[in-house]
Amino acid sequence: MAKHQINYAANGGLPVVLTTVDKLVQWGRSNSLWALSYGLACCAIEMMASGASRYDFDRFGTIFRASPRHSEVMIIAGTLTKKHAEFTRRLYDQMPEPKWVISMGACASSGGMFNNYAVVQGCDHIVPVDVYLPGCPPRPEALIHAILTLREQIGSEPLGAHRREIARKAEAAALAATPTHDLKGLLA
């Protein structure tokens, strides 16, 4: 029999954590993101570097997957052409709910320097985007920041019976919004 005794009352009480089921589920969802490795151009090299040993996405719980059916985050890294847009939407539709999208780089976010007939001027025409990541190409540190921003968004999303309805309305609003190439910014 052990001779030591722990006096919990001496240190302010029992070690108890109080939370709600919603916060516990959101914490679990936000800390175990599986990303679809979807590299289209030079931004994909930076995305691969973020998963390597120097930046190590695994410490954030983010693991790259090759299958859309096992992924919940799509990172569109690079130039999205109109020929490839149909496949992008098909992969997005194959992902299980809940799902999120990160647009990585200037080409994925707004078409970049390629303002021609063959390039989609922002992947938000094809799929709803949750986090835009600027740069040409963005550094792995910026992708880590985008993942942390997405984790904050996931932590504030509602759960419950109306979650799918809210997600569908958000997707419809994102696809109906003004395209990024039509926004004039400060020069308007």
Side-chain angles (χ1 to χ4, degrees), residues 88-112:
T88 304
R89 183 63 196 200
R90 186 180 306 158
L91 288 173
Y92 177 79
D93 290 337
Q94 289 177 355
M95 291 169 58
E97 290 286 341
K99 51 190 167 186
W100 300 277
V101 177
I102 295 175
S103 176
M104 182 177 178
C107 294
S109 299
S110 64

Side-chain angles (χ1 to χ4, degrees), residues 20-174:
T20 63
V21 174
D22 286 351
K23 288 186 179 182
L24 186 65
V25 170
Q26 288 169 343
W27 175 81
R29 281 184 10 198
S30 67
N31 286 309
S32 63
L33 296 175
W34 287 15
L36 177 63
S37 53
Y38 193 62
L40 299 173
C42 47
C43 289
I45 297 169
E46 300 295 324
M47 182 177 66
M48 288 182 256
S50 64
S53 60
R54 183 171 187 171
Y55 299 101
D56 193 21
F57 253 24
D58 292 347
R59 64 187 162 140
F60 298 108
T62 303
I63 300 169
F64 288 112
R65 304 296 298 173
S67 170
R69 291 182 176 87
H70 298 137
S71 304
E72 50 203 1
V73 178
M74 176 186 270
I75 302 174
I76 300 176
T79 310
L80 180 62
T81 61
K82 291 181 180 176
K83 188 175 185 180
H84 207 257
E86 175 187 350
F87 306 117
T88 304
R89 183 63 196 200
R90 186 180 306 158
L91 288 173
Y92 177 79
D93 290 337
Q94 289 177 355
M95 291 169 58
E97 290 286 341
K99 51 190 167 186
W100 300 277
V101 177
I102 295 175
S103 176
M104 182 177 178
C107 294
S109 299
S110 64
M113 64 189 102
F114 306 109
N115 189 10
N116 60 28
Y117 67 94
V119 175
V120 176
Q121 298 300 308
C123 64
D124 51 358
H125 294 290
I126 310 302
V127 294
V129 176
D130 295 294
V131 178
Y132 291 93
L133 181 56
C136 183
R139 298 276 308 141
E141 295 93 344
L143 183 56
I144 289 172
H145 183 266
I147 289 288
L148 295 176
T149 303
L150 184 62
R151 285 171 65 174
E152 291 174 9
Q153 285 182 9
I154 294 169
S156 63
E157 285 183 357
L159 295 177
H162 301 292
R163 180 180 51 83
R164 286 190 179 158
E165 181 181 329
I166 292 169
R168 284 193 190 105
K169 286 182 183 177
E171 181 177 347

